[in-house]
């Protein structure tokens, strides 16, 4: 009710500013909301004092509506433009608002606040009463539990005295076997459960002696343990030999690639549904180093039981004690739930950002009107406060735009519109546009792009945004020196580096520098921690990678790669396959 009432008061201000149609639209909408909420409150009177409060609101609401309608009838009569009103008429309308309408609005809002306080106090009282009852039953439950514990301890002490002696013999025999005396025996002649336990214990000791005497037994135990461990894993596991042929699939992998019996001996390329699995196994066997994909481009969508699940690929080479290559272990980490959580989070952020933009726009418009003097001259102090408000609104607006862009990129709604462009021209244009901003802070900006630099397949606007984000990030952390943008060809990619001579980043924060909302302690304020995250998402959507190198006190270098046209086509074709 308070919010709807305040929106009606805002409609009066819109009317004073000449926006009559907008004022009438907002008035009708929020008067209906106020009446609906008031009716709910009037039909749900449960506390002392509420009838009087409801009646006061009902009475003052009628007065306020009558005054408001009269006020609207005098403002911009017959829809005439604001500019056509005489100065004395405008002053009369304002006087009418501040002398009659605004005091009645404040009175009605105070009565709504009073009704709110009545309900809140009632809720607090009921909460305290419930807490008292809960505390009483807590103590009763605690007393009953204590009694049960004491009874249990008494019973346990009684039973322990009955069985302690046979268990002492079992303990002594166990100590001997653990010390290597496999000839130890347990001599318990009772026929109860302890006697059965003693007999089984002796059988276990005999089995241990047999296995200990045989190397084959040791190997069998090791093999069974290893297979049991692999089979118990929830994530799919593929084990291949040094030639890339499958030697084992755990049950989770059988659900995707078929039974282990039919797959054993086949090359992994015959089973894999994604070329990235084959490439990862081949790379791990060739380089004999672990291969772990990161980022959105490394997520494998595979069908399991008729539904699509998301997996992260990790491949590790296997070696014996002599460091000879035995094969590779490939684990497909199921990250479906993580992707769903991330999707829900992105949807929430996008929705919240979208809904916040409407009231923020209204605030920005109001601040702008005040700064333009639409409601009268401002003092220097008032102007300073409003300027600060406008700057904060602009920062908040940029944050919401970044959140919306990031959620759209992660959801795949903003896909790169690839086109073949000159890498040198791309870099030169970016340097030209960013130079005034950098030099305005007293720093130098240089670009180095060789003439023979090849073309790249990119979305020009998105890559220019990445370069701008990296340069602005460097600008925020650099007080003296220069910022360099370099480009060079590396195999089938063009690597672009942004180097600064700033404060640098501590090594403990480097692994998380591309995470959302990450702020390095002690760094200058001004960003929300989304620029690097958006840049990483854009680069990975192009099929490239981004990395960072930094040393405290000596500066930071961000490097990202862009695919050449041929490499981009290969990547797109592989993803469709």
């Amino acid at each position: 009710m308070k919010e709807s009432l305040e929106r009606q008061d805002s409609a009066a201000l819109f009317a004073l500013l000449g926006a009559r149609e907008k004022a009438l639209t907002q008035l009708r909408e929020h008067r209906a909301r106020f009446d609906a909420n008031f009716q709910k409150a009037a039909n749900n009177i449960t506390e002392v004092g509420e009838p009087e409060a409801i009646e006061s609101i009902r009475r003052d609401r009628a007065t306020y509506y009558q005054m408001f309608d009269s006020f609207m009838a005098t403002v911009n009569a017959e829809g005439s433009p604001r500019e056509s009103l005489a100065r004395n008429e405008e002053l009369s309308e304002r006087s009418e608002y501040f002398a009659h309408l605004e005091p009645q609005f404040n009175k009605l809002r105070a009565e709504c606040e009073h009704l709110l306080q009545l309900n809140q106090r009632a809720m607090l009282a009921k909460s305290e009463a419930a807490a008292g009852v809960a505390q009483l039953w807590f103590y009763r439950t605690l007393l009953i539990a204590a009694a049960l514990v004491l009874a249990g301890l008494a019973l346990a002490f009684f039973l322990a005295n009955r069985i302690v002696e046979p268990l002492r013999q079992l303990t002594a025999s166990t100590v001997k076997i653990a010390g290597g005396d496999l000839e130890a025996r347990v001599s318990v002649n009772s026929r109860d459960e302890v006697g059965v336990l003693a007999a089984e214990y002796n059988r276990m000791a005999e089995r241990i002696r047999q296995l200990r005497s045989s190397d084959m037994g040791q190997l069998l135990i090791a093999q069974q343990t290893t297979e049991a461990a692999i089979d118990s894993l929830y994530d799919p596991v593929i084990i291949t030999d040094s030639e890339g042929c499958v030697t084992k699939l755990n049950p989770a992998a059988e659900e995707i690639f078929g039974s282990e019996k039919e797959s054993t001996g086949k090359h992994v390329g015959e089973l894999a549904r994604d070329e990235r699995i084959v490439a990862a196994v081949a790379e791990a066997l060739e380089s004999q180093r672990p291969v772990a994909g990161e980022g959105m481009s490394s997520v494998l969508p595979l069908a399991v039981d008729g539904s699509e699940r998301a997996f992260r690929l990790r491949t590790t080479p296997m070696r014996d004690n002599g460091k000879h290559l035995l094969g590779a272990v490939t684990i497909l980490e199921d990250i479906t739930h993580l992707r769903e959580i991330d999707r829900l989070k992105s949807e929430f952020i996008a929705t919240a950002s979208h809904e916040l933009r409407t009231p923020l726009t209204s605030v920005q418009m109001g601040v702008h009107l005040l700064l333009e003097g639409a409601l009268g001259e401002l003092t220097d102090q008032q102007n300073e406060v409003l300027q600060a408000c406008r700057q904060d609104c602009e920062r908040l607006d940029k944050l919401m735009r970044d959140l919306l862009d990031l959620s759209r990129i992660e959801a795949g709604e903003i896909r790169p519109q690839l086109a073949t462009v000159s890498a040198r021209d791309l870099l030169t244009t970016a340097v030209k546009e960013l130079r005034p901003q950098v030099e305005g802070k007293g720093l130098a900006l240089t670009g180095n792009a060789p003439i023979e630099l090849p073309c790249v397949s990119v979305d020009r606007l998105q890559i220019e945004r990445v370069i701008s984000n990296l340069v602005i990030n460097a600008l925020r952390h650099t007080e003296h020196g220069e910022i360099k943008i370099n480009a060079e060809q590396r195999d089938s990619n063009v690597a672009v580096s942004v180097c600064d001579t700033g404060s640098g980043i501590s090594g403990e924060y480097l692994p998380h520098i591309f995470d959302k909302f990450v702020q390095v302690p002690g760094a200058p304020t001004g960003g929300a921690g989304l620029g690097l995250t958006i840049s990483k998402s854009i680069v990975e959507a192009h099929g490239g990678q981004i990395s960072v190198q930094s040393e405290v006190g000596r500066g930071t270098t961000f490097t990202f790669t862009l695919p050449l046209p041929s490499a981009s086509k290969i990547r797109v074709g592989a993803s469709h396959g």
Side-chain angles (χ1 to χ4, degrees):
M1 290 167 62
K2 288 177 60 181
E3 180 182 358
S4 299
L5 188 62
E6 290 169 354
R7 290 300 182 91
Q8 293 181 57
D9 185 65
S10 298
L13 296 179
F14 283 136
L16 283 176
L17 294 176
R20 178 178 178 84
E21 292 302 323
K22 183 173 183 179
L24 289 175
T25 300
Q26 183 164 316
L27 173 63
R28 286 192 293 269
E29 177 186 352
H30 290 283
R31 180 173 289 185
R33 290 186 181 179
F34 181 89
D35 292 343
N37 290 323
F38 174 74
Q39 191 62 37
K40 291 180 182 178
N43 293 335
N44 188 29
I45 297 176
T46 58
E47 306 300 332
V48 177
E50 274 194 290
E52 294 80 2
I54 290 294
E55 188 59 33
S56 297
I57 293 175
R58 189 190 309 277
R59 182 175 56 254
D60 289 330
R61 177 188 65 171
T63 302
Y64 180 69
Y65 282 1
Q66 182 180 3
M67 295 175 65
F68 200 111
D69 293 339
S70 176
F71 170 77
M72 290 297 296
T74 61
V75 175
N76 295 339
E78 298 181 0
S80 57
R82 184 69 178 178
E83 292 76 3
S84 66
L85 291 178
R87 181 62 180 177
N88 58 345
E89 293 178 350
E90 182 179 353
L91 293 176
S92 174
E93 294 167 0
R94 294 183 182 178
S95 299
E96 172 69 17
Y97 171 78
F98 288 108
H100 301 288
L101 188 59
E102 185 187 32
Q104 184 65 21
F105 159 73
N106 291 331
K107 181 180 179 183
L108 183 55
R109 181 173 60 177
E111 291 173 350
C112 292
E113 178 66 25
H114 175 64
L115 179 61
L116 175 63
Q117 294 295 330
L118 282 176
N119 282 275
Q120 288 181 341
R121 286 195 295 269
M123 292 171 62
L124 181 60
K126 292 177 180 178
S127 175
E128 291 176 350
V133 173
Q135 187 176 25
L136 175 62
W137 279 103
F138 170 76
Y139 289 131
R140 291 179 178 177
T141 304
L142 188 63
L143 180 62
I144 294 172
L148 292 175
V149 169
L150 291 176
L153 290 175
L155 181 61
F157 182 76
F158 173 75
L159 294 176
N161 288 333
R162 294 283 306 269
I163 62 177
V164 67
E165 186 59 32
L167 290 180
R168 284 177 180 171
Q169 295 185 28
L170 283 171
T171 302
S173 178
T174 303
V175 172
K176 292 180 181 179
I177 293 178
D181 183 9
L182 299 181
E183 301 298 328
R185 292 286 190 278
V186 179
S187 56
V188 177
N189 299 321
S190 63
R191 296 182 179 180
D192 56 9
E193 290 81 358
V194 177
V196 174
L197 176 62
E200 295 299 324
Y201 186 88
N202 288 332
R203 289 180 58 189
M204 179 191 69
E206 179 65 25
R207 182 63 176 165
I208 292 175
R209 282 193 296 273
Q210 293 176 0
L211 292 175
R212 180 67 64 87
S213 64
S214 171
D215 291 339
M216 183 62 68
Q218 295 180 0
L219 293 176
L220 180 61
I221 292 176
Q223 181 182 2
Q224 292 175 343
T225 302
T226 301
E227 291 183 353
I230 294 174
D231 290 342
S232 65
L233 291 177
Y234 172 77
D235 294 323
V237 178
I238 306 172
I239 300 179
T240 57
D241 57 21
S242 58
E243 301 297 326
C245 296
V246 177
T247 59
K248 181 171 179 57
L249 298 175
N250 72 339
E254 288 182 314
E255 295 180 3
I256 301 175
F257 304 105
S259 68
E260 179 182 354
K261 182 178 180 181
E262 297 177 356
S263 303
T264 301
K266 295 182 180 180
H267 192 272
V268 67
E270 300 180 36
L271 304 177
R273 301 183 183 180
D274 195 299
E275 290 296 328
R276 286 172 285 185
I277 299 177
V278 182
V281 173
E283 183 179 349
L285 293 175
E286 181 179 354
S287 63
Q288 298 192 25
R289 290 183 298 180
V291 176
E294 300 293 343
M296 293 186 297
S297 61
S298 64
V299 176
L300 279 63
L302 299 175
V304 181
D305 293 335
S307 62
E308 186 175 271
R309 305 187 67 83
F311 296 90
R312 181 184 290 125
L313 178 64
R314 301 184 184 278
T315 304
T316 304
M318 296 187 300
R319 303 181 183 87
D320 59 14
N321 293 333
K323 302 300 181 181
H324 296 107
L325 182 65
L326 299 178
V329 177
T330 300
I331 299 179
L332 300 176
E333 182 184 359
D334 192 340
I335 59 171
T336 305
H337 64 292
L338 298 178
R339 296 267 292 178
E340 180 64 16
I341 292 173
D342 192 63
R343 183 188 66 81
L344 294 174
K345 176 190 63 179
S346 298
E347 288 182 356
F348 170 75
I349 292 175
T351 302
S353 300
H354 179 75
E355 293 298 326
L356 286 173
R357 294 197 70 179
T358 300
L360 178 62
T361 302
S362 299
V363 173
Q364 287 178 310
M365 182 180 67
V367 172
H368 176 73
L369 290 174
L370 290 172
L371 287 172
E372 291 295 323
L375 299 180
E377 295 295 329
L378 301 175
T379 64
D380 292 341
Q381 187 175 10
Q382 289 172 338
N383 189 73
E384 182 180 350
V385 171
L386 288 173
Q387 290 288 357
C389 289
R390 177 153 67 179
Q391 292 176 2
D392 288 340
C393 287
E394 291 174 352
R395 289 179 57 192
L396 182 58
D397 186 59
K398 181 180 183 303
L399 171 60
M400 290 189 295
R401 288 199 306 268
D402 287 345
L403 286 171
L404 284 172
D405 288 345
L406 182 59
S407 63
R408 289 170 181 168
I409 291 173
E410 291 179 342
E413 296 178 5
I414 302 179
R415 298 183 181 274
Q417 302 299 317
L418 299 181
T420 301
V421 300
S422 168
R424 175 181 171 83
D425 178 62
L426 177 66
L427 187 63
T428 303
T429 302
V431 171
K432 182 178 179 181
E433 293 178 353
L434 293 169
R435 179 170 281 119
Q437 185 176 357
V438 176
E439 293 181 348
K441 193 179 176 182
L443 303 175
L445 178 63
T446 60
N448 179 25
I451 298 177
E452 64 275 9
L453 204 62
C455 294
V456 290
S457 180
V458 298
D459 185 319
R460 183 169 189 138
L461 292 178
Q462 291 190 7
I463 297 303
E464 287 179 349
R465 181 177 184 180
V466 172
I467 297 175
S468 176
N469 284 345
L470 296 179
V471 171
I472 292 174
N473 183 73
L475 186 63
R476 192 163 54 244
H477 293 79
T478 305
E479 295 293 335
H480 307 285
E482 62 177 347
I483 299 174
K484 298 180 181 179
I485 305 178
N486 301 319
E488 62 178 358
Q489 182 176 358
R490 295 182 184 175
D491 299 328
S492 59
N493 297 279
V494 170
V496 180
S497 301
V498 177
C499 312
D500 63 60
T501 56
S503 57
I505 304 171
S506 177
E508 61 182 304
Y509 298 106
L510 289 178
H512 310 287
I513 197 64
F514 294 106
D515 294 344
K516 300 175 185 175
F517 305 108
V518 169
Q519 298 278 4
V520 177
T525 59
L530 289 175
L532 294 179
T533 305
I534 293 175
S535 299
K536 182 175 184 290
S537 299
I538 291 175
V539 171
E540 290 183 347
H542 280 76
Q545 297 291 330
I546 188 169
S547 60
V548 59
Q549 294 178 334
S550 183
E551 186 176 348
V552 176
R554 302 192 64 177
T556 303
T557 299
F558 284 92
T559 303
F560 65 91
T561 59
L562 299 174
L564 301 182
S566 59
S568 175
K569 291 178 182 178
I570 293 174
R571 183 183 67 82
V572 173
S575 65
H576 285 295

